[in-house]
Amino acid sequence: MNDLLVMAQIAGRRCAFHAHDVSSVIEVGAITPVPRAPDFIAGITAMRSQALTVIECRRAIGFDPGRWALDHRAVVVTVADYSYALRVDAIEDITSAIGEPGHVPGGFGPEWSRVAAGMIETQAGPALLIDLPTLIAGREPFGAAA
Amino acid sequence: MDDLLADFVAETREMLEASEGEIIAWEADPSDRARIDTIFRFVHTVKGNCGFFDFPRLAALSHVAEDALADCRSGRREADSAMVSAVLAIIDRIAQMADAIEAGEEFPEGGDDALIAALEPGAEPVETAPDAVLEAAAANGSEPIPAHEPASALLSDSDGASDTAPAVKKLENGPAAQRSIRLPVDLLDRVMSGVSDMVLARNDLAHRLRQAGTQPTIDGPFERLTTILADVRDAITRMRMQRIETLFSALPRLVRDLSADLGKQVMVDLEGGDVELDREMIETIRDPITHIIRNAVDHGMEAPTERRAAGKREIALLSISARQSGNTISIVLSDDGSGLDEERIAEKAVATGLITDAQRASMSREKILQLIFEPGFSTAEAVSNISGRGVGLDVVRENLEKVGGSIKVTSTPGVGTLFTMQIPLTLSIIAGLTVESRGQRFAIPQSYVEEIIHSSSKALDFTRVGETALVTFRGNRVPCLMLTDVLELPNAVSDGADAPMPASQSTMVILRLASGDLFALAVDNIHSHGDVVVKPLAPAIMKSGFYAGSTLLDDGQPVLLLDVTNVAAAYGLVSDARGRVFKSTDDDKEAADQTACRAMLFTDFAGRRCAVRLELVQRIETAPISAIDLSAGSPRAVIDGVILPLIGLPDGPLPSDKLRLLRLTDGSCELLHAVREIDDAAELTGALKPANDDPMIEALTLVDGKTVALIDGHQFFARYGEAPEVVSKPVCRLPETDWAKTILGPLVKSAGYAIAQEPSNSADATKPDASGTSADIAIWFDDEYEAAIALDMDFNTPVIRLRDVPDSSGGAESIYRYDREALVFALQQARSGGGRRS
């Protein structure tokens, strides 16, 4: 398996998305907030004539986004026919994976283990491979923002 | 291989759909060669395709059907009802198998042999629906009905296929009438979003062009681009549309099977199959329609014997028609069955606790009937296997309301029942109103909006009872929700001076839910209204329950579309019993407060904000371009059969094919004022500053900080007003000669008369009373008249007598036939009531 990966920093950690899940990387324009939606949904924004749901990844995983920088770009992914823009600390690079995603004994910590599809070795070093559907589903209601 | 398989399934299904009608028609007349050929082609193609794939069972089934049909075609075998049923059973099985293949499932073994055996000449009829008809008919003690009776009923008598035209005509034209290609929906969506992008880019460009000032060399082509884009957008929208025929075509078969099962005879009349509807919407209404038809056939229609006893035709009539009016489609399903039993419905509703006895006593029949849509309601004492399965009418209504539609029922005992469904034209493009609260915009589907009222208006009477806010709308207390509270919008944080707007300052959008409940939604501002393209929202957002989708404004900014029904439900505002609690309050108080001058605000085609006193406005009309006549010196329009003078039209071509018109009246005269946009009704509280430069403007005033020109009603009517010319004119009887028709006729017409339609029989023409035409005035030649008098005829209309010679002879009151002035004068005299009776 020699997959291309989009590398990004989320909450200070290096994470990876499968490149085939990523449709583009966009500059984030105006975001329309969505009142009464879960807090990890930053709002909706327009990409061409499509409406994207903007996900604040740090909050979706369970961290306070105020502690990290915010990239002005966002990763656009499509999950179950809906498009999402993922806001992260920084979008780094595209690189290729070395080997299969694997697990680390002891897991990645409670927040990370929930959204992780495993650890993957890349050209740029190890990264946490993000499982998009769980990331986008957000935390269960009981998880308060850290 | 998978692609091939998908194509095979798709082709089979398409052919099935196309031949559905043929099959029914064939059943009506088994000897019809053309039908046999079509069905033969179908099974033949299936058989051929099966050869490609390894589907031995499909191949075997289609093979025997093909054989049997081939025998019929060559005359070796007579098509009888047993054979028709057997072939139908096989075709059904083929459809089921195709479904299973598509789903990748194994079709359950067995059963094929019985079907194949049933096709053998002289075989026992297979257990299918038509058989049940025979049994049911026998059980009812009436004479046996031929198995194909229901189907022939569907198509009316095969010779005089005039009254059930649409369905039959379609069959005659054959499935090849409309050429079509198969496209994936997401490709359409891509094209559609591409066009939306183009519109956004155009808007951006328009903005920049405006900034750059007028540049004739660029503006022309830009206008052209705009028009083209509007056309393309329209066409793309139509691509998503599908004729409702696709839904209708399955109904005859459904009714046939149902009526056969129940031993009833039902004729289906389909109308309006060419109405187009969004594909998604067709899927949404499929179940509700099926359900209502099931109910109608099962409960609504009596058995043939009962019908005969009631003096009705044995064959019941179920008619389904679709009509488009504006942005909604109405589908009417009516049957001529026994009608709804008001007493039983009321009893049931009381028994189940839906209403109390006291409430029942005060409810109208119409209200009681609507109870059948309440959850937990079903009058059927014995749940039959037809209408017992599936959903109740409450689910039908719920599903329709989900897409912004509504349903209601009317019924006359013993005569029939009529269901009226109103559904929006499309799910994806709706008319929307954009509102703003706390600096954020939201869209509301226009179909819910009843009225927009600025709450500074005294009539609104904003009060709070406990925590609930109430406003008065047309004399009723209506609950009021603050959009800011509903969505928990943060207070404006930017500048401290901008304190949250008090509710009494905001604008009220009065919303009417599909159930008829009203409530007011307080917003800070109204922005615009127009068609919005609704895009779905991610599930995580949908879960919050407040939004129905998102849409993009012209500047590309996304806004959320509010789910009005859900918001209302979240606040417990949707309940049919609630409306009665709120009694209308004293109207006189409101009237006493109303001292300020109320005016209708609008924008005219010159872009000017204008106001006209509300008392002058009779109605707001929307007229198609075709109703407007520019041929005469001054433009006119026909509204409700009356020709009215029209002012305020833009110079040059009309902007759209519909025009908004204000119908103004001073009590006797009427005139129409074309407007670009109607803004609101408002109170003119600011000082009126007389304007002297434009005679048409009475004064300038301020509304919401902007200048508004108040139209001078007196000048308007003095200059343009005229009494409406009634199209139904007084009727004038003319002599029966060519001269009268070609020369006198136009003159009489221009004097404002219609010409009486006389029977050509000249004997009758001399007897105005016998001819039966009720003319308001009659013109007779003098000699004719003398003759009539001699015959002692009774003239009950004023008469104008014409003579052939210029000089008056004999002193009789007659007019020379080319004395135009005298003639016109006489006609006008007669019209104003002073007609001379000789």
Side-chain angles (χ1 to χ4, degrees), chain A residues 30-38 40-41 43-51 53 82-84 136-137, chain B residues 193 196-197 440 442 486-489 535-541 544 546-547 550 552 556-558 560 571:
Chain A
I31 296 177
T32 305
V34 181
R36 302 209 48 178
F40 68 90
I41 293 177
I44 54 174
T45 191
M47 177 183 73
R48 298 201 296 279
S49 63
Q50 275 202 313
T53 307
Y82 292 98
S83 296
Y84 299 86
I136 275 146
Chain B
S193 69
S196 302
D197 282 347
Q440 188 174 350
F442 298 91
V486 171
L487 299 178
E488 297 172 355
L489 293 174
K535 315 249 174 187
L537 282 170
I541 301 180
S544 70
F546 290 99
Y547 310 107
S550 69
L552 299 180
Q557 187 196 347
L560 294 155
Y571 284 82

Side-chain angles (χ1 to χ4, degrees), chain B residues 242-276:
Chain B
Q242 202 167 29
R243 284 164 165 243
I244 203 166
E245 216 164 61
T246 53
L247 174 61
F248 279 5
S249 62
L251 298 181
R253 174 74 193 263
L254 172 78
V255 174
R256 172 210 171 268
D257 287 354
L258 278 177
S259 51
D261 275 353
L262 293 162
K264 295 176 181 176
Q265 298 175 36
V266 182
M267 175 158 72
V268 183
D269 183 17
L270 297 173
E271 203 187 309
D274 54 349
V275 167
E276 290 186 332

Side-chain angles (χ1 to χ4, degrees), chain B residues 728-778:
Chain B
S728 58
K729 297 169 185 169
V731 179
C732 177
R733 182 259 167 206
L734 289 186
E736 277 289 302
T737 65
D738 284 344
W739 179 84
K741 266 191 209 125
T742 53
I743 295 173
L744 186 59
L747 175 71
V748 171
K749 272 187 202 158
S750 72
Y753 283 85
I755 306 297
Q757 297 296 314
E758 291 273 348
S760 53
N761 189 339
S762 61
D764 279 353
T766 54
K767 298 178 195 161
D769 294 325
S771 70
T773 38
S774 53
D776 297 302
I777 188 168

Side-chain angles (χ1 to χ4, degrees), chain B residues 156-214:
Chain B
S156 80
D157 305 326
S158 39
D159 47 344
S162 51
D163 44 346
T164 49
V168 181
K169 261 190 209 132
K170 189 202 156 217
L171 299 181
E172 242 104 77
N173 292 342
Q178 202 183 17
R179 287 185 58 190
S180 63
I181 54 165
R182 191 175 281 280
L183 280 176
V185 172
D186 56 341
L187 179 62
L188 283 184
D189 287 345
R190 235 173 74 199
V191 176
M192 200 155 172
S193 69
V195 172
S196 302
D197 282 347
M198 268 150 70
V199 172
L200 294 180
R202 189 213 74 91
N203 292 342
D204 193 22
L205 189 59
H207 184 66
R208 276 154 213 253
L209 283 177
R210 263 202 305 278
Q211 283 176 336
T214 322

Side-chain angles (χ1 to χ4, degrees), chain B residues 82-327:
Chain B
M83 176 183 158
V84 173
S85 294
V87 172
L88 283 184
I90 284 184
I91 288 175
D92 280 351
R93 180 62 66 94
I94 291 174
Q96 288 162 6
M97 284 181 168
D99 287 349
I101 290 167
E102 193 188 39
E105 293 161 2
E106 263 313 298
F107 194 76
E109 284 289 328
D112 294 1
D113 293 345
L115 291 176
I116 292 168
L119 254 189
E120 298 292 325
E124 280 295 301
V126 71
E127 269 298 315
T128 53
D131 210 15
V133 176
L134 288 171
E135 281 164 18
N140 282 339
S142 61
E143 74 275 338
I145 306 155
H148 53 73
E149 184 66 33
S152 68
L154 293 175
L155 295 159
S156 80
D157 305 326
S158 39
D159 47 344
S162 51
D163 44 346
T164 49
V168 181
K169 261 190 209 132
K170 189 202 156 217
L171 299 181
E172 242 104 77
N173 292 342
Q178 202 183 17
R179 287 185 58 190
S180 63
I181 54 165
R182 191 175 281 280
L183 280 176
V185 172
D186 56 341
L187 179 62
L188 283 184
D189 287 345
R190 235 173 74 199
V191 176
M192 200 155 172
S193 69
V195 172
S196 302
D197 282 347
M198 268 150 70
V199 172
L200 294 180
R202 189 213 74 91
N203 292 342
D204 193 22
L205 189 59
H207 184 66
R208 276 154 213 253
L209 283 177
R210 263 202 305 278
Q211 283 176 336
T214 322
Q215 295 163 75
T217 48
I218 298 179
D219 287 354
F222 182 72
E223 277 306 310
R224 216 170 100 75
L225 176 74
T226 304
T227 331
I228 294 170
L229 208 50
D231 272 1
V232 172
R233 197 179 184 182
D234 197 49
I236 297 284
T237 313
R238 295 242 342 255
M239 274 193 199
R240 284 188 62 90
M241 300 300 214
Q242 202 167 29
R243 284 164 165 243
I244 203 166
E245 216 164 61
T246 53
L247 174 61
F248 279 5
S249 62
L251 298 181
R253 174 74 193 263
L254 172 78
V255 174
R256 172 210 171 268
D257 287 354
L258 278 177
S259 51
D261 275 353
L262 293 162
K264 295 176 181 176
Q265 298 175 36
V266 182
M267 175 158 72
V268 183
D269 183 17
L270 297 173
E271 203 187 309
D274 54 349
V275 167
E276 290 186 332
L277 207 57
D278 192 278
R279 282 160 210 278
E280 308 272 315
M281 193 63 84
I282 288 190
E283 289 313 309
T284 316
I285 60 170
R286 191 183 293 270
D287 282 349
I289 287 190
T290 312
H291 184 76
I292 292 171
I293 290 177
R294 283 209 170 115
N295 264 340
V297 176
D298 191 7
H299 305 311
M301 290 169 180
E302 313 92 328
T305 42
E306 280 176 53
R307 289 185 64 88
R308 202 163 38 198
K312 296 186 191 178
R313 281 181 68 186
E314 281 176 42
I315 300 172
L317 179 74
L318 179 70
S319 87
I320 303 159
S321 70
R323 246 179 219 96
Q324 180 181 352
S325 58
N327 252 346

